[in-house]
Amino acid sequence: MKLAYWMYAGPAHIGTLRVASSFRNVHAIMHAPLGDDHFNVMRSMSERERDFTPVTASVVDRHVLARGSRDKVVNNISRKDEEQRPDSIVLTPTCTSSILQEDLQNFVDRASLYSESDVILADVNHYRVNELQASDKTLDQIVRYFLNKAREEGSSNRSLTDMPSANIIGISTSGFHNQHDCRELKRLLGELGISINQIIPEGEFLRNLKDLPRAWFNVVPYREMGLMAATFLEKEYGMPFISKPPIGLLNTANFVARIEKLVNLWASVSLGKEVNYDLYVENQTKFVSQAAWFSKSIDCQNLAGKEAAVSGDATHAASITKILVKEMGIRVSCAGTYCKHDAERFNEQVQGLCDEVIITEDHTEIGNMIARIEPSAIFGTQMERHIGKRIDIPCGVISSPVHIQNFPPGYRPFLGYEGSNQISDLVYNSFNLGMEDHLPDVFGGHDTKGVNTKPLSVDRININWSPKAESELRKIPGFVRGKIRRNTEFFAKQNNISEITVDVMYAAKEKSSF
Amino acid sequence: MKTSETLAFECETGNYHTFCPISCVAWLYQKIEDSFFLVVGTKTCGYFLQNALGVTIFAEPRYAMAELEEGDISAKLNDQRELERICLQIKNDRNPCVIFWIGTCTTEIIKMDLEGIAPILEKRLGIPIVVARANGLDYAFTQGEDTVLAAMAHRCPEYKHYAEQESIEHATLVKNSSNSKDISQKKVLTKSNLVLFGSLPSSVASQLNLELKRQSVPVSGWLPSQRYNELPHLGKGVYVCGVNPFLSRTATTLMRRRKCQLVGAPFPIGPDGTRAWIEKICSIFNIKAEGLEERENQIWKKNKDYIQILGGKSVFFMGDNLLEVSIARFLIRCGMTVYEIGIPYMDKRYQSAELSFLQHTCEKMKKPSPRIVEKPDNYSQVQRMHELKPHLAITGMAHANPLEARNIDTKWSVEFTFAQIHGSSNARDVLELVTRPLRRKDGFTSNSRSLSKQTLGN
Ligand code: SF4
């Protein structure tokens, strides 16, 4: 048992539902108790979805508990099949079905006999995988299923498209800024003369999946969803894929260079000449994106050397860390992710970019880390935003878990050249607001709030502050106050001083050079 | 039963959307100030709570998950030891006066003996532990509160028996001295022993207290109380009355296990409901309620602007929180036509007074009786709505946006659970909620409807 207040990634079935409900005309039936269809609320509310979420439950109640689902699941599948004629029905297990151990595969087999639609049992175990892993797995499963089916029917199409083309794998409902990213990605590829073969799962028909292998290569913008399917396509169909996201100018340039290589594998045959995107990248970087100029401008100089903490999913946390350090000259004291399953890769990505790496699913650990480091800004999830609120540190939200605010009607991609503009804004505004906030402090202050330097961690040092020292501390600008308190306490502890007076404060200041 | 002859009751497939009953921790931890709620369940439960409760989750709420892992399911780990470790941590960090364990689907299925472990740990930790099984296998949404209150009813101190004798003497006294009103009222004030059950925000609770006090019926306690150690005394000679329609288990527990006398009344929602509720309580104590009619009329008059908007409009309740019958009755009284009252579960005994009041209101307002659909089927309901074209659908958030996109105005039902809707003075809040979608109707958005890909029919 684990005492938990908050989780970054949801349960497995959420991942499956995200994939299933993103495809067009696919219906998911959850094997779940009443009340577990909260996914519908989330999708309908946060994305302001106009259509009914194609998810229903085959309700597990006392009756089912006592006697098993019997025909209930099969009936529910057949009913949906008749009512809405979906192309496919995905039976989705939940934590409840994981322990009931009913033979869901058997239900699926039986229902398949009567249904027009393809019935699939999502192969995810609640206790083994989380939302992100499950979404990856389900997407892989569906792609495999329909490609194998097409192969058996002899309808699969493996001939490459005449012009260079790509699949985008991993755009889905409830993804962080996914819709905007997708648009930006399409534009980027379009400008390189690459057409989009398919985008999955978002909005694609399953019957079209047989044409997936016609693309020249695959793009997996987020490591969290799509890697497994892309790996499968590489192994079975020899399709190369790019899984380094084009987030930030450097990454985008890398991304385009990767594409150039992949296109040139076939270009001389199909196009009669090789492509070269150098000019495109230069043009975009210099003139289209403002991010490069921005980081040279005086504004950004002010940010140089400022401290930040980063935390989020593996894709976003790693990319943002790289942007902060390499493109904006900001010091990242700590970079972290909750994607434990991708820890190794994450470590590799941020190696040498930050002082410290933290990999945890426990938000209190992140909170304590932030309280200890006291960065000038945080880049994290909604949770970090609230941690920041409590200790007066501004936060830019860069990653899911998502919130209704993360579905802005305005255009806000994170990917590509427009994405880097957006990220510049986000970073600059976070720091800038922070500075503005502290200016009153510097000029004598209107500090009626009292000192807010309470660390979040429980292991407080047992040291007293004299009232004089306490009021001296209050005169120090807010954004360094916490740090001075900490350094002074550290100094006092080292020198066995139990009460901190003004003298001790200055002694500590001389010792350390802040 | 009389009402069932006239009102049409149906039962569908139970394929409907509602909140899981564990959501009751959201309002109960705020109501019972010294409590801590521990939900013993899985990531599914945790994720639901975290998303359903929105920002409160960031405010260091007094609830948490004891998240079950694979080792707990396969019984590799010892439940008692695990729970002890977690509760000890809660005790150290938060020092609550009571810990509620909320059992979930998983604890039901693996048959974790929460009721057996609780008394042992209660002794070891020196903290009361109350177990309530509020899971999605058995209950819907607000019924979660019902299970918690029913569990709490066992913890209320015993009402001293000797008082009973006095109150009988007293009742005869009241009967014989109807002309010497002063004396009798004073007596009643001290002897009525009325306990109300149902969790309401404290300001609403005091409004209801006040309404009753005006009739010289003092309320001797509430279940739940603001603090755990202020639970009301229960026992023979205590009258209990519910303020919410979803508290049937609590009512049963109070009657059967605590030997209280249940006052069956319509619920104090809307000025009509509030008046009927007070009148019923007064009649139990042989008091002639005074000034209620004027007060009700006043409220109707005060809200004329809103009621005008509602007159002649129709409404469809999809059903997810058990407040449906009372709100429908109120809206019919406001001149609306109710096509359908979907409801998760209908206890015809506990709600009997409310049901006949509904029937009565329909006759009075010359409106057709709505059909009452227990365990509704959301898919079929949407089909019916397609035909009926109601002016307003009261529905969960899963259906609200899609229905709006299909030209049906909606009001989220959950808001009724969290808004202050009890008592005469809060009638305006209910009306405010119901008319909100109708009031904005004339804006420019009404011309740019039906933007969705799916159609309602298929
Ligand atoms: S329905 Fe059951 S499993 Fe789902 S959230 Fe509620 S208690 Fe947990």
Side-chain angles (χ1 to χ4, degrees):
Chain A
M1 256 177 235
K2 204 169 81 185
L3 185 62
Y5 295 90
W6 163 269
M7 65 187 80
Y8 285 102
H13 69 263
I14 298 286
T16 297
L17 297 181
R18 280 178 57 191
V19 170
S21 64
S22 292
F23 276 116
R24 191 167 304 180
N25 208 25
V26 171
H27 199 98
I29 295 184
M30 302 170 68
H31 186 244
L34 194 70
D36 276 357
D37 59 352
H38 195 69
F39 175 77
N40 299 27
V41 174
M42 287 161 46
R43 187 164 180 269
S44 168
M45 292 312 292
S46 50
E47 301 193 53
R48 304 175 197 91
E49 183 55 56
R50 290 172 183 143
D51 290 323
F52 292 103
T53 302
V55 174
T56 43
S58 175
V59 177
V60 177
D61 54 17
R62 274 288 153 191
H63 247 69
V64 171
L65 218 54
R67 310 169 49 222
S69 288
R70 298 215 175 170
D71 294 330
K72 198 169 180 181
V73 177
V74 179
N75 288 342
N76 277 318
I77 293 175
S78 317
R79 187 184 154 195
K80 255 316 133 202
D81 180 54
E82 275 166 37
E83 278 169 358
Q84 292 182 297
R85 296 259 160 248
D87 296 333
S88 175
I89 291 175
V90 179
L91 183 60
T92 310
T94 58
C95 60
T96 303
S97 37
S98 280
I99 39 175
L100 278 180
Q101 295 189 328
E102 286 193 90
D103 190 356
L104 294 181
Q105 186 59 50
N106 174 33
F107 297 151
V108 164
D109 294 341
R110 270 169 54 207
S112 302
L113 295 177
Y114 312 109
S115 309
E116 305 255 316
S117 33
D118 288 286
V119 189
I120 306 174
L121 172 66
D123 178 22
V124 291
N125 182 326
H126 175 92
Y127 293 96
R128 304 274 161 88
V129 294
N130 67 18
E131 169 191 352
L132 302 174
Q133 294 161 294
S135 66
D136 202 16
K137 211 160 178 211
T138 305
L139 185 57
D140 176 56
Q141 193 188 349
I142 290 180
V143 166
R144 272 171 201 262
Y145 181 93
F146 284 94
L147 283 178
N148 289 342
K149 189 179 163 199
R151 192 186 270 177
E152 274 163 30
E153 289 170 353
S155 63
S156 69
N157 190 344
R158 303 180 59 165
S159 60
L160 285 191
T161 53
D162 297 340
M163 298 301 282
S165 65
N167 298 318
I168 300 176
I169 302 181
I171 302 291
S172 87
T173 187
S174 297
F176 185 77
H177 292 242
N178 268 204
Q179 303 305 327
H180 307 285
D181 281 352
C182 183
R183 226 169 99 191
E184 187 63 19
L185 209 48
K186 267 156 72 179
R187 190 172 85 177
L188 177 67
L189 290 168
E191 283 170 351
L192 299 174
I194 294 158
S195 62
I196 305 294
N197 185 49
Q198 287 185 357
I199 296 169
I200 60 169
E202 186 64 36
E204 191 55 85
F205 283 108
L206 294 173
R207 57 174 174 273
N208 296 340
L209 288 183
K210 64 178 187 342
D211 291 333
L212 264 180
R214 298 201 64 199
W216 289 28
F217 60 94
N218 291 320
V219 174
V220 183
Y222 317 107
R223 300 183 52 76
E224 287 71 29
M225 185 197 294
L227 264 188
M228 280 179 82
T231 312
F232 163 74
L233 288 168
E234 182 177 52
K235 229 172 98 201
E236 293 288 308
Y237 294 85
M239 301 179 75
F241 68 90
I242 307 176
S243 65
K244 272 197 176 168
I247 303 181
L249 289 176
L250 291 171
N251 278 343
T252 306
N254 275 341
F255 181 76
V256 175
R258 238 0 263 287
I259 291 178
E260 187 182 284
K261 253 195 216 133
L262 292 177
V263 171
N264 281 338
L265 286 178
W266 302 97
S268 44
V269 186
S270 293
L271 307 172
K273 61 167 180 9
E274 298 219 324
V275 295
N276 185 322
Y277 297 137
D278 291 350
L279 241 147
Y280 173 78
V281 171
E282 204 184 313
N283 225 9
Q284 290 287 323
T285 312
K286 275 198 181 144
F287 304 112
V288 176
S289 159
Q290 300 298 314
W293 161 238
F294 174 77
S295 54
K296 280 198 153 170
S297 69
I298 300 295
D299 269 348
C300 207
Q301 264 183 30
N302 290 339
L303 300 184
K306 285 248 141 52
E307 265 184 272
V310 180
S311 145
D313 64 20
T315 299
H316 289 87
S319 311
I320 296 291
T321 303
K322 189 167 173 188
I323 294 176
L324 291 173
V325 175
K326 292 210 162 164
E327 297 179 23
M328 305 183 105
I330 288 160
R331 181 165 155 213
V332 174
S333 314
C334 186
T337 182
Y338 56 84
C339 296
K340 270 181 148 167
H341 61 281
D342 207 17
E344 207 176 305
R345 236 330 257 266
F346 183 78
N347 268 316
E348 240 173 76
Q349 295 277 308
V350 298
Q351 185 130 83
L353 297 178
C354 56
D355 307 345
E356 212 183 310
V357 178
I358 181 168
I359 288 167
T360 178
E361 291 172 321
D362 181 352
H363 77 277
T364 52
E365 263 183 63
I366 299 277
N368 289 339
M369 177 271 284
I370 291 172
R372 173 168 51 82
I373 294 177
E374 304 222 31
S376 313
I378 313 165
F379 298 95
T381 68
Q382 289 290 339
M383 191 29 132
E384 282 74 44
R385 193 167 73 85
H386 285 271
I387 293 172
K389 261 192 189 165
R390 266 168 46 203
I391 53 176
D392 271 339
I393 298 176
C395 176
V397 177
I398 53 138
S399 153
S400 37
V402 284
H403 186 254
I404 191 157
Q405 284 172 347
N406 303 124
F407 295 95
Y411 188 48
R412 297 266 156 67
F414 267 64
L415 298 187
Y417 290 106
E418 179 53 28
S420 36
N421 287 343
Q422 297 287 342
I423 294 171
S424 295
D425 275 351
L426 183 76
V427 171
Y428 183 64
N429 288 342
S430 306
F431 279 106
N432 201 29
L433 286 180
M435 293 300 292
E436 248 171 50
D437 231 28
H438 295 312
L439 278 184
D441 289 349
V442 180
F443 294 113
H446 48 67
D447 201 2
T448 47
K449 277 189 288 182
V451 199
N452 194 355
T453 50
K454 211 176 86 198
L456 288 173
S457 61
V458 267
D459 48 297
R460 289 283 324 242
I461 318 167
N462 231 345
I463 289 176
N464 277 330
W465 283 71
S466 77
K468 268 228 171 107
E470 194 76 68
S471 70
E472 191 66 23
L473 185 69
R474 215 162 299 174
K475 285 189 205 146
I476 293 162
F479 59 99
V480 283
R481 191 186 294 146
K483 182 160 273 183
I484 289 176
R485 174 189 273 273
R486 198 152 34 80
N487 285 353
T488 313
E489 283 175 356
F490 184 70
F491 173 82
K493 204 173 163 196
Q494 269 191 332
N495 294 288
N496 279 328
I497 298 168
S498 61
E499 164 133 340
I500 294 177
T501 59
V502 181
D503 290 345
V504 175
M505 273 179 85
Y506 285 106
K509 186 175 177 178
E510 267 164 38
K511 266 275 147 80
S512 62
S513 53
F514 49 82
Chain B
M1 178 159 301
K2 201 173 137 231
T3 50
S4 54
E5 289 161 16
T6 38
L7 288 168
F9 289 92
E10 281 168 52
C11 189
E12 283 188 320
T13 60
N15 242 313
Y16 65 101
H17 164 75
T18 184
F19 274 16
C20 170
I22 59 173
S23 52
C24 67
V25 307
W27 62 88
L28 288 176
Y29 91 80
Q30 293 184 47
K31 174 71 195 177
I32 309 166
E33 287 165 0
D34 48 4
S35 63
F36 192 98
F37 283 80
L38 183 70
V39 181
V40 188
T42 61
K43 245 183 168 20
T44 307
C45 315
Y47 196 67
F48 161 70
L49 276 181
Q50 153 175 340
N51 281 292
L53 305 193
V55 286
T56 55
I57 200 92
F58 297 112
E60 289 209 39
R62 289 189 319 280
Y63 71 79
M65 294 292 309
E67 193 184 313
L68 300 168
E69 293 166 304
E70 208 163 7
D72 300 303
I73 304 304
S74 57
K76 279 214 187 74
L77 297 169
N78 178 300
D79 298 338
Q80 183 178 324
R81 219 174 305 139
E82 293 293 303
L83 282 165
E84 178 166 7
R85 181 172 54 79
I86 283 181
C87 289
L88 204 62
Q89 199 177 332
I90 292 169
K91 190 184 167 191
N92 290 339
D93 292 352
R94 306 293 187 92
N95 199 24
C97 292
V98 55
I99 299 179
F100 288 88
W101 286 353
I102 304 294
T104 62
C105 300
T106 309
T107 57
E108 287 298 309
I109 299 170
I110 63 174
K111 302 204 164 55
M112 189 183 284
D113 184 19
L114 294 177
E115 271 100 343
I117 300 172
I120 303 171
L121 291 190
E122 188 167 306
K123 265 199 211 108
R124 296 249 290 250
L125 299 174
I127 270 189
I129 295 174
V130 181
V131 181
R133 306 173 176 192
N135 59 67
L137 293 169
D138 300 306
Y139 306 108
F141 196 10
T142 47
Q143 287 180 293
E145 175 182 321
D146 195 20
T147 61
V148 173
L149 297 194
M152 275 178 95
H154 292 283
R155 302 300 184 109
C156 294
E158 189 62 37
Y159 173 67
K160 294 286 180 312
H161 208 277
Y162 61 82
E164 189 197 9
Q165 205 53 36
E166 280 179 47
S167 71
I168 291 173
E169 278 165 25
H170 170 67
T172 43
L173 181 77
V174 176
K175 268 188 192 146
N176 298 337
S177 62
S178 50
N179 42 3
S180 55
K181 218 169 97 194
D182 279 276
I183 309 168
S184 68
Q185 284 206 348
K186 223 184 214 156
K187 279 278 187 182
V188 173
L189 267 169
T190 50
K191 294 298 171 212
S192 67
N193 278 314
L194 173 68
V195 170
L196 301 178
F197 58 97
S199 161
L200 293 181
S202 60
S203 64
V204 182
S206 21
Q207 281 167 29
L208 289 182
N209 283 344
L210 201 71
E211 299 249 20
L212 287 172
K213 204 170 154 204
R214 266 196 211 120
Q215 306 299 336
S216 308
V217 183
V219 175
S220 50
W222 280 80
L223 176 69
S225 45
Q226 204 73 16
R227 308 186 63 80
Y228 179 72
N229 54 19
E230 288 163 5
L231 283 176
H233 291 249
L234 295 177
K236 223 170 173 183
V238 173
Y239 286 91
V240 291
C241 186
V243 297
N244 267 323
F246 45 76
L247 298 173
S248 58
R249 259 176 83 94
T250 309
T252 315
T253 310
L254 290 172
M255 281 156 60
R256 300 225 176 111
R257 311 294 298 274
R258 302 306 309 261
K259 307 286 179 236
C260 300
Q261 192 111 19
L262 180 72
V263 181
F267 300 99
I269 292 170
D272 49 342
T274 309
R275 176 181 167 189
W277 183 73
I278 297 172
E279 270 173 352
K280 182 64 194 269
I281 292 174
C282 287
S283 75
I284 297 287
F285 296 112
N286 278 322
I287 291 174
K288 198 173 165 304
E290 276 167 21
L292 283 182
E293 191 175 346
E294 297 91 83
R295 190 163 160 70
E296 192 195 342
N297 288 338
Q298 239 177 20
I299 303 281
W300 291 123
K301 223 164 69 219
K302 226 173 73 192
N303 292 309
K304 237 168 69 199
D305 48 345
Y306 278 161
I307 292 168
Q308 239 158 22
I309 302 177
L310 296 181
K313 301 256 165 56
S314 56
V315 56
F316 191 108
F317 285 82
M318 285 186 82
D320 66 353
N321 59 19
L322 287 97
L323 292 171
E324 291 86 1
V325 175
S326 309
I327 295 175
R329 177 259 302 149
F330 173 37
L331 294 183
I332 292 172
R333 181 65 183 70
C334 291
M336 291 189 97
T337 302
V338 178
Y339 287 137
E340 175 166 329
I341 303 178
I343 187 167
Y345 167 74
M346 182 78 230
D347 184 336
K348 286 184 195 160
R349 284 220 329 242
Y350 177 62
Q351 293 227 40
S352 69
E354 183 66 86
L355 286 170
S356 46
F357 195 33
L358 168 73
Q359 182 66 30
H360 178 78
T361 306
C362 288
E363 282 159 20
K364 182 170 164 190
M365 299 301 293
K366 303 206 170 43
K367 295 281 181 193
S369 312
R371 55 195 261 176
I372 297 180
V373 181
E374 209 181 340
K375 290 176 183 288
D377 185 283
N378 280 166
Y379 184 83
S380 316
Q381 284 185 311
V382 171
Q383 307 303 312
R384 290 202 285 278
M385 250 189 265
H386 187 44
E387 272 161 30
L388 294 165
K389 298 210 175 3
H391 291 100
L392 184 70
I394 296 185
T395 175
M397 292 191 271
H399 294 98
N401 271 336
L403 286 173
E404 288 281 349
R406 284 158 187 75
N407 285 340
I408 293 176
D409 285 311
T410 59
K411 178 79 241 138
W412 311 340
S413 48
V414 208
E415 283 197 78
F416 294 105
T417 331
F418 294 104
Q420 311 199 337
I421 61 171
H422 293 78
S424 300
S425 39
N426 288 321
R428 194 163 179 85
D429 287 44
V430 184
L431 293 171
E432 208 277 329
L433 285 179
V434 178
T435 54
R436 200 183 293 162
L438 301 171
R439 275 180 284 133
R440 62 159 201 186
K441 172 109 189 163
D442 297 325
F444 68 95
T445 47
S446 49
N447 302 322
S448 49
R449 293 299 186 78
S450 272
L451 303 162
S452 96
K453 288 174 277 178
Q454 298 167 3
T455 51
L456 198 58
N458 71 5

